Amino acid sequence: MLRLWMRTIKLLTPFTTLIVLALFLGVLTIGSSVGLMATSAWMLSKAALMPSIAELAFTPVLVRFFGISRGVMRYLERLVSHDVTFRLLGNLRVTFYRAIEPLAPAVLSRYRTGDLLARVVDDIENLQNIFLRAVAPPLVALIMVMMTTLFIGIFDWVVALMALAWFIIGMTVLPFIAWAGGNRYGGQSITYGAELNSLLVEGIQGMSDILIYADDDSPTSHPNRLNRLLTDINQHEEKMARWDALTNFLNVGVVQGAGLAVLLIALARVDGIWLASLSLATIATFEAITPLAPAFQTLGENLKAAERLFQVMDTPPAVVDLVHAPHPLTPLHGEGESPFLYAVGKESRMGVLLPRDGSVVFRDVAFRYTPNHPPIYEGLNLDIPSGARVAILGASGAGKSTLVHLLARFYEYETGEILLGGHDIRTYTQADARNCIAVMEQRTYLFNTSIKENIRLARPDATDHDIIKACQMAEIHDFILTLPHGYDTTVGEDGGQLSGGQRQRVALARALIRQTPILILDEPVAHLDRITADAIMDTILRQAGERTVILLAHQMNPAWEGMIAIQL
């Protein structure tokens, strides 16, 4: 736990200056409170003796000063501390995203969508308490305890030691009790939250299937699982509420006990005019101490959130680039050696490994998804020359889609060699390898934006004319024109506003617009009628030009004339 705590604290390192400023303002805030209470108490005690006005002339000025400064300092302290917190959250979100991006899709597929969402949103939000509750308050409390103890010690050290004893109780015993409860229940809160997010996301995504097939009487049905989880969460929150009540009760008791103990000890040792000042100064100091118990109560929850984030961030990616991209001024290939220059603009071609052609070669390749997974390939050999039209056939599970995953460098193969565009695929960076291929997968995701932007995702510099041409090749242009907003029509989340065939044709247009040497189509016409499917395939094969076209299918279609069939 100590290592986890230290690693979490290191997240604050870039904001050291702001943290010191926030601590300074926090001390001034609590110091103003102590000064306000002590000065006010002395003024009232002195006034009860009916002295001359001259003896009290300066005291109201101090009261006003401490009263105003407390409000101003509190505002500035909150401003700076929350600025630190928001900077921390922003930095953490960027760091977390950079860490998980290389994990997609091979590693992230192991996690449930709702659980990942909980880590990205809830767990990162949870870490804002690290500074606001677990770092700043203990340091401010420690400084204020020393200052108040020295102040009381000016009058009598016995009274000061009594105040210090109660301060120590408030800074150690109460936080420990709160931590014990938080450590017991806090981590479970994070787990419950992640599970609830997962069930809710699954329920929304699979709502139609739940409504059709779900048996509400079955204990394993989605609604019953959700109800059981909500019951467990309610019971858990009741336990947390009881522990909160106990902690608050002890906090109030310690504060009142400290004020009373200081007063009783000071009665026989300090001039009576200072009794109220010392007692109220002691109580006011607890403004810095009482936040410690809630902070330690949520510490277990905070550390659990950090542990869940670091668990994902520390996961090694399935594929690691073996070479770094060369310096932009160092060309690997002269301009013009490759006829396919998609994505790598003229100003960026230097230093990027370009494919020599559109060939794909597998030599004795062995691959399995996980060590415990049965092998997908054992000594696979495949030789597809540049510009060829090839249909790779096989039953479900034969490894057709796995070819795409390996060529896109989503996974690393175990043994053998893969050549992509005339180069060993491992000599490409992952980004460069993906710039060599355009893929239409069986399950292509469409974003909740316009049809135009969904297609432009594959080629950001594509003009409207390019998009229209790709849609005409995919036989969906005429349909798009019938929509109220044409190409600016929003397709809904995951293309929910389109039919299965329409979604597939939009996905096909996205693949066709990407100017790469290799075009891979995974069951591109599976959801289309025979006439439309044959027309699309004829257009693709005619318009492909020098591109290599690889079609993944279960069986050969007689209409695919001239295509080389390879059985897996």
Side-chain angles (χ1 to χ4, degrees):
M1 178 176 290
L2 180 60
R3 179 181 296 180
L4 178 62
W5 168 253
M6 294 304 297
R7 183 176 179 183
T8 306
I9 291 300
K10 286 182 179 179
L11 296 173
L12 297 171
T13 304
F15 316 109
T16 303
T17 302
L18 288 175
I19 290 173
V20 172
L21 178 59
L23 293 176
F24 177 69
L25 293 172
V27 170
L28 291 181
T29 300
I30 306 299
S32 297
S33 296
V34 173
L36 177 63
M37 297 296 286
T39 304
S40 300
W42 182 88
M43 183 177 69
L44 293 175
S45 298
K46 187 69 174 178
L49 301 178
M50 294 184 292
S52 66
I53 297 298
E55 294 183 49
L56 296 175
F58 189 65
T59 310
V61 176
L62 286 178
V63 171
R64 285 193 293 270
F65 170 76
F66 285 128
I68 294 173
S69 64
R70 182 183 186 281
V72 173
M73 294 305 168
R74 174 62 74 190
Y75 171 79
L76 294 175
E77 183 269 333
R78 291 294 171 87
L79 182 66
V80 175
S81 61
H82 282 76
D83 181 55
V84 171
T85 300
F86 292 139
R87 288 175 185 269
L88 169 65
L89 293 180
N91 187 59
L92 186 56
R93 286 191 179 99
V94 172
T95 302
F96 185 71
Y97 183 81
R98 286 175 176 169
I100 68 172
E101 187 178 15
L103 304 182
V107 177
L108 294 187
S109 61
R110 306 172 193 169
Y111 296 89
R112 299 164 71 182
T113 303
D115 180 55
L116 275 176
L117 180 64
R119 294 175 196 251
V120 173
V121 179
D122 297 337
D123 291 351
I124 290 180
E125 286 288 338
N126 209 298
L127 289 187
Q128 68 178 322
N129 295 323
I130 291 293
F131 174 70
L132 290 179
R133 291 188 174 185
V135 175
L139 294 176
V140 172
L142 182 62
I143 295 172
M144 285 309 306
V145 163
M146 292 189 294
M147 293 176 61
T148 304
T149 302
L150 291 175
F151 170 70
I152 298 176
I154 294 175
F155 300 92
D156 188 272
W157 276 107
V158 175
V159 179
L161 292 175
M162 174 57 69
L164 180 61
W166 283 91
F167 291 153
I168 292 174
I169 292 174
M171 294 181 66
T172 56
V173 178
L174 293 185
F176 177 78
I177 294 174
W179 174 83
N183 194 48
R184 181 178 179 183
Y185 301 117
Q188 189 63 37
S189 297
I190 297 293
T191 303
Y192 277 140
E195 180 66 18
L196 180 60
N197 270 346
S198 297
L199 286 179
L200 289 175
V201 170
E202 290 173 0
I204 293 172
Q205 292 178 338
M207 183 62 70
S208 58
D209 293 308
I210 292 174
L211 293 175
I212 294 173
Y213 299 111
D215 179 6
D216 291 341
D217 296 328
S218 171
T220 59
S221 68
H222 190 276
N224 286 331
R225 289 168 58 202
L226 186 58
N227 286 334
R228 284 197 303 273
L229 178 62
L230 291 174
T231 300
D232 292 341
I233 291 176
N234 287 335
Q235 293 174 350
H236 176 74
E237 289 180 346
E238 289 176 2
K239 295 176 183 177
M240 289 288 291
R242 286 195 292 269
W243 201 269
D244 286 342
L246 174 62
T247 303
N248 292 334
F249 172 77
L250 293 176
N251 255 332
V252 173
V254 169
V255 173
Q256 301 303 320
L260 182 59
V262 168
L263 179 61
L264 292 176
I265 296 296
L267 282 173
R269 307 181 68 88
V270 178
D271 187 356
I273 199 171
W274 292 101
L275 293 178
S277 295
L278 299 184
S279 180
L280 291 179
T282 301
I283 292 175
T285 303
F286 273 90
E287 184 181 347
I289 298 174
T290 50
L292 298 186
F296 276 78
Q297 185 170 341
T298 59
L299 183 60
E301 187 175 339
N302 302 150
L303 293 180
K304 181 65 175 179
E307 181 182 18
R308 283 166 46 83
L309 291 175
F310 292 142
Q311 180 186 28
V312 177
M313 294 169 67
D314 292 341
T315 304
V319 176
V320 178
D321 292 334
L322 299 182
V323 294
H324 296 288
H327 190 276
L329 297 180
T330 306
L332 286 179
H333 297 282
E335 187 174 323
E337 286 191 24
S338 172
F340 307 101
L341 296 174
Y342 160 71
V344 184
K346 292 182 178 180
E347 71 282 358
S348 305
R349 292 174 190 168
M350 304 294 282
V352 175
L353 181 58
L354 300 176
R356 293 194 181 101
D357 51 37
S359 61
V360 175
V361 178
F362 282 64
R363 293 175 181 166
D364 296 320
V365 173
F367 171 75
R368 67 183 72 210
Y369 281 101
T370 65
N372 299 324
H373 196 281
I376 305 298
Y377 302 137
E378 291 182 292
L380 175 66
N381 288 285
L382 193 65
D383 193 341
I384 301 176
S386 180
R389 274 63 172 148
V390 177
I392 298 179
L393 311 175
S396 297
K400 301 187 300 296
S401 298
T402 302
L403 288 173
V404 180
H405 295 160
L406 293 180
L407 291 176
R409 299 211 69 196
F410 288 155
Y411 294 87
E412 191 68 85
Y413 52 94
E414 297 174 359
T415 60
E417 183 181 33
I418 297 178
L419 301 180
L420 178 64
H423 304 291
D424 188 323
I425 196 170
R426 287 173 172 164
T427 62
Y428 290 96
T429 64
Q430 295 173 60
D432 289 343
R434 291 161 195 165
N435 281 338
C436 295
I437 61 176
V439 180
M440 175 192 165
E441 297 188 272
Q442 283 182 307
R443 187 72 176 87
T444 302
Y445 189 88
L446 297 183
F447 294 88
N448 187 22
T449 184
S450 67
I451 295 175
K452 180 192 300 182
E453 293 306 315
N454 266 290
I455 297 173
R456 185 173 276 133
L457 174 70
R459 184 179 158 195
D461 63 343
T463 64
D464 289 351
H465 175 73
D466 295 329
I467 294 173
I468 292 173
K469 183 178 179 181
C471 289
Q472 288 173 336
M473 293 175 62
E475 296 287 341
I476 196 170
H477 171 70
D478 293 339
F479 164 74
I480 294 174
L481 294 182
T482 66
L483 297 175
H485 303 290
Y487 280 85
D488 292 319
T489 301
T490 300
V491 301
E493 185 176 0
D494 197 17
Q497 302 299 316
L498 303 177
S499 69
Q502 292 161 356
R503 291 181 70 262
Q504 194 157 10
R505 279 181 280 176
V506 172
L508 178 59
R510 177 192 286 176
L512 294 175
I513 202 172
R514 189 173 170 91
Q515 297 175 349
T516 56
I518 301 169
L519 176 63
I520 305 175
L521 306 175
D522 193 349
E523 298 286 358
V525 293
H527 299 286
L528 304 178
D529 61 88
R530 182 67 177 270
I531 296 176
T532 302
D534 290 346
I536 289 176
M537 287 305 303
D538 180 67
T539 303
I540 291 174
L541 296 177
R542 282 190 293 101
Q543 297 288 338
E546 298 181 28
R547 303 171 79 181
T548 301
V549 179
I550 302 175
L551 180 65
L552 308 180
H554 290 98
Q555 57 188 2
M556 194 68 178
N557 189 319
W560 301 343
E561 296 181 4
M563 296 197 74
I564 303 171
I566 300 177
Q567 186 74 38
L568 283 182

